[in-house]
């Protein structure tokens, strides 16, 4: 990615962009300065149990874990390997996601996990963890930049969320980030995780291999979840322009389940061995993490066990047979392959390549399994460079681009509607058009159909009007209900408010913002004067949130309140 030379250019506002990859099992940070946008600095130093500063653990990411005590709480690497801790609490922000109760999660629970219901709400856990990340980010900046520069330079945060997050979960995440001190309003940015990963992965590809019309599937295989999304290239210049080719999908089938299955495998095989204890198990699990990520053959270190040819142990190393490997990997990989095949089919296009990112995405076993599954379709499978940090690097690119469009390397021009969206309207019954059983029912006006491409730079306007007596109370709040319909059976969205349709959000527009002298007056049938207000609610579908604004006479009167169900 090439940048203009902006060092010292006063036309570029000086800011520090801090990207936050808030992951299910691991989280990451990366930062850059708008005056030096070509220098991206991932955070790799984290506090551990012995150090509260930058001299602790060295890692591209930090565990998304919390442990409360009498002094407050510990987080990340500060928590010892054994002992109860809160994990996976991020998923508690979106209870609508059924993937939280996947077959793998029920079959292989984590014995060390404390659930959010045990004393703390998901919102408190997320707020406390994001606060810890923000405090550490500030500590990093204090060590890297002069104090005078920090005092005069604003810091803007970009936080990532899953692509399949509900509107309510998007709002909850933003509120938690705001309470954690990461900014408010336009100074706090949000982007979906696979979109951020795609921005980095596509920018890192050889541009000569990308053509207009190419379709790519991105597989973000992390520790807890695996998310997929697909993009079609719509333009190459001035920046690579892509649009979603199908709605995203995801499931709870990340690499953490490999650890849990291996944990059970070891316990079942060696529990009767006199040299087997918790220390051997802890060390074996640490070594398996490295082995699993880097090697296709399976030889895992199990220090402390005597040689045992029957069990495949020799000189502190455990040799896993092909059958053993299948028992560990296949339950997880099978779910990932199902997601990949489903996403390819959903694009209804000739997919050029599957791009794999995420920590689990660096597994050679997973890569080769996907290659075998799509080989007959002639689809390439590529692992992105810096795959484990692709999301935070892409989020940083997005944050920089928001400050200066010349920094844009990859632009998302449109997103595929994950469901059908609409509002309720009253229409006269027409026997030629409508089912007699629906007489007297509300109808649904379709504003965006499932799978339809919604362009971010072309917001939609829902138009309404309200009347108020001139000599009565001033114009006040009006409620607009927006409904959603999931077309799981591909029979088309419902035109009625029925069992397939549920309320998504109530948008509350405060009409008192509009000056009264600008409101037209009409004489009603009763001979009295009325204000007749024709207004619109403008909806902009962004990467990780939806923006609602009040429009009157083509003047934007700012955001309106959105109360999600």
């Amino acid at each position: 990615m090439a940048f203009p030379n902006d060092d010292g250019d006063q036309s570029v506002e000086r800011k520090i962009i801090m990207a936050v990859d808030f992951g299910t099992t691991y989280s990451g940070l990366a930062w850059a300065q708008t005056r030096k946008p070509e220098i991206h600095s991932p955070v790799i130093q984290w506090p551990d149990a012995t150090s509260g500063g930058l001299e602790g653990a060295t890692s591209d990411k930090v565990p998304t874990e919390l442990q409360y005590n009498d002094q407050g709480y510990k987080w990340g690497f500060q928590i010892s390997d054994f002992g109860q801790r809160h994990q996976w609490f991020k998923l508690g922000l979106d209870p609508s996601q059924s993937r939280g109760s996947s077959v793998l999660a029920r079959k292989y629970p984590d014995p060390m996990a404390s659930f959010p219901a045990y004393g703390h709400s998901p919102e408190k856990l997320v707020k406390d963890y994001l606060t810890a990340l923000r405090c550490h980010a500030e500590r990093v900046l204090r060590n890297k930049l002069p104090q005078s520069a920090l005092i005069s330079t604003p810091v803007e945060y970009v936080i990532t969320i899953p692509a399949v997050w509900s509107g309510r979960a998007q709002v909850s995440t933003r509120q938690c980030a705001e309470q954690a001190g990461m900014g408010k309003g336009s100074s706090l940015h949000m982007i979906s995780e696979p979109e951020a990963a795609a921005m980095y992965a596509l920018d890192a590809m050889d541009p000569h291999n990308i053509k207009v019309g190419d379709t790519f599937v991105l597989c973000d295989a992390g520790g807890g979840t695996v998310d997929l999304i697909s993009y079609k290239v719509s333009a190459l210049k001035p920046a690579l322009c892509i649009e979603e080719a199908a709605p995203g999908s995801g499931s709870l089938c990340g690499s953490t389940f490999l650890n849990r299955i291996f944990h059970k495998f070891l316990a079942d095989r060696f529990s009767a061995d006199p040299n087997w204890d918790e220390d051997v198990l802890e060390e074996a699990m640490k070594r398996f993490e490295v082995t699993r990520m880097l090697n296709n053959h399976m030889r895992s270190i199990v220090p402390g066990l005597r040689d045992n040819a029957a069990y495949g142990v020799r000189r502190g190393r455990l040799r896993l047979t092909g059958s053993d490997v299948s028992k560990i990997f296949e339950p997880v990989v099978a779910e990932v392959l199902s997601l990949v095949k489903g996403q390819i089919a959903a694009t209804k296009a000739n997919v050029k390549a599957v791009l794999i990112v995420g920590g689990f995405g660096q597994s050679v076993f997973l890569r080769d399994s996907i290659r075998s599954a799509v080989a007959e379709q002639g689809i390439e499978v590529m692992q992105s460079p810096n795959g484990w940090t692709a999301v935070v690097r892409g989020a940083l690119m997005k944050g920089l681009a928001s400050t200066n469009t010349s920094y844009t390397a990859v632009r998302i021009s449109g997103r595929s509607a994950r469901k059908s969206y609409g509002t309720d309207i009253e229409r006269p019954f027409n026997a030629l058009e409508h089912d007699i059983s629906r007489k007297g029912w509300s109808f649904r006006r379709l504003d965006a159909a499932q799978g339809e491409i919604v362009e971010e730079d072309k917001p939609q306007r829902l138009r309404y009007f309200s009347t108020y007596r001139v000599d009565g109370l001033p114009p006040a709040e009006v409620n607009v209900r927006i409904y959603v319909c999931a077309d799981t059976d591909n029979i088309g969205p419902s035109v009625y408010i029925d069992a397939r349709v549920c309320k998504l959000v109530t948008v509350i527009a405060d009409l008192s913002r509009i000056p009264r002298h600008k409101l037209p007056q009409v004489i009603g049938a009763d001979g009295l004067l009325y204000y007749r207000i024709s207004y619109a609610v403008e909806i902009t579908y962004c990467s990780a949130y939806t923006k609602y604004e009040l429009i009157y006479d083509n003047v934007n009167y700012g955001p309106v309140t959105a109360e999600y169900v």
Side-chain angles (χ1 to χ4, degrees):
M1 178 178 178
F3 292 98
N5 183 12
D6 287 315
D7 191 23
D9 183 354
Q10 299 303 309
S11 65
V12 179
E13 183 179 0
R14 185 185 298 276
K15 291 181 181 179
I16 297 171
I17 305 298
M18 180 66 70
V20 181
D21 172 16
F22 175 39
T24 304
T25 56
Y26 282 87
S27 296
L29 295 170
W31 62 279
Q33 301 178 75
T34 54
R35 293 288 179 87
K36 297 181 179 180
E38 72 284 359
I39 302 177
H40 295 185
S41 302
V43 174
I44 60 172
Q45 297 297 129
W46 309 95
D48 61 11
T50 60
S51 171
L54 302 180
E55 300 79 23
T58 300
S59 173
D60 287 334
K61 289 190 177 183
V62 60
T64 307
E65 299 179 356
L66 284 172
Q67 184 182 76
Y68 289 88
N69 53 38
D70 294 337
Q71 289 75 42
Y73 61 85
K74 296 179 179 179
W75 69 287
F77 289 112
Q78 293 178 336
I79 304 171
S80 64
D81 292 311
F82 290 93
Q84 294 291 311
R85 79 282 311 278
H86 292 280
Q87 299 174 316
W88 298 52
F89 47 83
K90 164 185 165 180
L91 299 180
L93 291 181
D94 195 359
S96 70
Q97 294 299 321
S98 60
R99 65 182 185 175
S101 57
S102 71
V103 174
L104 288 173
R106 291 193 299 270
K107 191 173 181 179
Y108 303 103
D110 188 341
M112 294 299 170
S114 294
F115 296 96
Y118 186 69
H120 303 286
S121 69
E123 289 77 13
K124 174 173 172 54
L125 293 167
V126 172
K127 184 202 73 164
D128 287 349
Y129 186 81
L130 292 181
T131 298
L133 280 180
R134 192 258 307 164
C135 291
H136 185 64
E138 292 176 350
R139 185 181 298 112
V140 169
L141 294 177
R142 286 196 298 269
N143 278 270
K144 301 295 183 182
L145 298 173
Q147 184 177 4
S148 57
L150 287 176
I151 293 175
S152 60
T153 308
V155 179
E156 291 191 359
Y157 284 82
V158 185
I159 187 168
T160 64
I161 65 172
V164 293
W165 236 212
S166 68
R168 181 177 179 180
Q170 292 172 359
V171 172
S172 295
T173 306
R174 173 175 283 275
Q175 290 172 342
C176 290
E178 290 176 349
Q179 294 168 10
M182 291 184 173
K184 293 184 177 182
S186 60
S187 66
L188 176 60
H189 309 270
M190 297 175 69
I191 182 175
S192 75
E193 293 162 0
E195 186 167 307
M199 293 181 70
Y200 176 77
L202 288 172
D203 184 54
M205 286 184 63
D206 182 353
H208 299 291
N209 289 334
I210 301 177
K211 300 179 178 61
V212 172
D214 285 347
T215 299
F216 298 90
V217 169
L218 182 120
C219 176
D220 181 8
T225 61
V226 175
D227 293 295
L228 289 100
I229 201 161
S230 51
Y231 292 100
K232 179 180 179 181
V233 177
S234 55
L236 300 177
K237 295 180 179 180
L240 180 63
C241 191
I242 58 178
E243 65 179 32
E244 287 186 13
S249 57
S251 183
L252 206 64
C253 54
S255 60
T256 294
F257 293 103
L258 295 179
N259 286 4
R260 296 182 187 181
I261 295 171
F262 186 60
H263 184 287
K264 184 177 184 302
F265 174 87
L266 291 177
D268 291 344
R269 175 169 289 192
F270 297 109
S271 58
D273 192 304
N275 295 306
W276 177 258
D277 57 23
E278 290 296 322
D279 290 337
V280 173
L281 175 61
E282 177 185 355
E283 193 61 32
M285 292 305 300
K286 288 180 179 178
R287 304 294 183 137
F288 176 69
E289 180 79 16
V290 175
T291 304
R292 170 178 57 78
M293 298 289 284
L294 299 179
N295 298 298
N296 195 19
H297 67 279
M298 295 300 295
R299 284 186 181 274
S300 187
I301 298 174
V302 284
L305 292 183
R306 293 178 301 179
D307 289 358
N308 187 324
Y311 286 157
V313 178
R314 185 170 184 270
R315 295 181 180 178
R317 293 179 179 272
L318 170 64
R319 181 181 180 275
L320 299 176
T321 65
S323 175
D324 294 333
V325 172
S326 295
K327 289 178 182 177
I328 296 169
F329 275 80
E330 285 192 0
V332 181
V333 172
E335 285 209 31
V336 177
L337 294 181
S338 177
L339 287 171
V340 172
K341 291 177 181 178
Q343 185 68 199
I344 291 173
T347 65
K348 299 178 181 178
N350 293 321
V351 173
K352 181 172 184 176
V354 175
L355 307 178
I356 316 176
V357 300
F360 187 21
Q362 304 314 291
S363 163
V364 175
F365 189 97
L366 179 62
R367 182 200 65 193
D368 290 347
S369 297
I370 296 176
R371 278 181 176 169
S372 298
V374 302
E376 291 185 0
Q377 297 169 270
I379 300 173
E380 293 185 76
V381 178
M382 295 178 283
Q383 290 172 312
S384 171
N386 300 309
W388 200 25
T389 56
V391 171
V392 75
R393 291 171 185 269
L396 185 59
M397 291 170 60
K398 174 72 171 180
L400 288 167
S402 71
T403 67
N404 190 325
T405 56
S406 66
Y407 299 161
T408 302
V410 180
R411 186 174 73 87
I412 313 294
S413 62
R415 299 178 179 86
S416 181
R418 280 146 181 77
K419 298 178 181 180
S420 294
Y421 303 87
T423 53
D424 59 333
I425 58 174
E426 300 291 340
R427 293 180 58 189
F429 178 77
N430 185 331
L432 298 178
E433 294 182 34
H434 307 137
D435 189 332
I436 187 64
S437 65
R438 302 289 181 174
K439 189 173 183 178
W441 284 48
S442 293
F443 293 86
R444 194 169 69 91
R445 179 176 67 186
L446 184 65
D447 297 307
Q450 183 171 314
E452 177 184 337
I453 296 298
V454 180
E455 299 181 51
E456 181 171 324
D457 55 356
K458 292 184 179 179
Q460 296 184 347
R461 288 188 179 183
L462 308 182
R463 302 185 183 278
Y464 303 90
F465 75 88
S466 297
T467 57
Y468 296 87
R469 278 179 52 174
V470 172
D471 60 353
L473 294 174
E477 294 180 345
V478 293
N479 296 342
V480 176
R481 294 182 296 273
I482 297 177
Y483 293 84
V484 63
C485 175
D487 187 17
T488 55
D489 297 323
N490 294 318
I491 60 176
S494 175
V495 296
Y496 304 106
I497 307 296
D498 58 17
R500 290 203 297 138
V501 176
C502 60
K503 188 169 73 171
L504 172 69
V505 62
T506 299
V507 178
I508 304 172
D510 182 7
L511 301 184
S512 65
R513 299 181 193 173
I514 304 172
R516 296 186 71 170
H517 70 273
K518 292 189 176 183
L519 303 179
Q521 298 180 12
V522 297
I523 299 176
D526 55 6
L528 299 177
L529 277 176
Y530 287 84
Y531 290 119
R532 181 181 174 90
I533 310 174
S534 296
Y535 63 95
V537 174
E538 186 172 87
I539 305 177
T540 305
Y541 298 98
C542 302
S543 170
Y545 65 98
T546 304
K547 183 169 60 176
Y548 303 92
E549 295 175 299
L550 175 62
I551 307 295
Y552 175 73
D553 197 21
N554 287 322
V555 176
N556 189 319
Y557 284 88
V560 300
T561 303
E563 295 183 352
Y564 284 89
V565 175

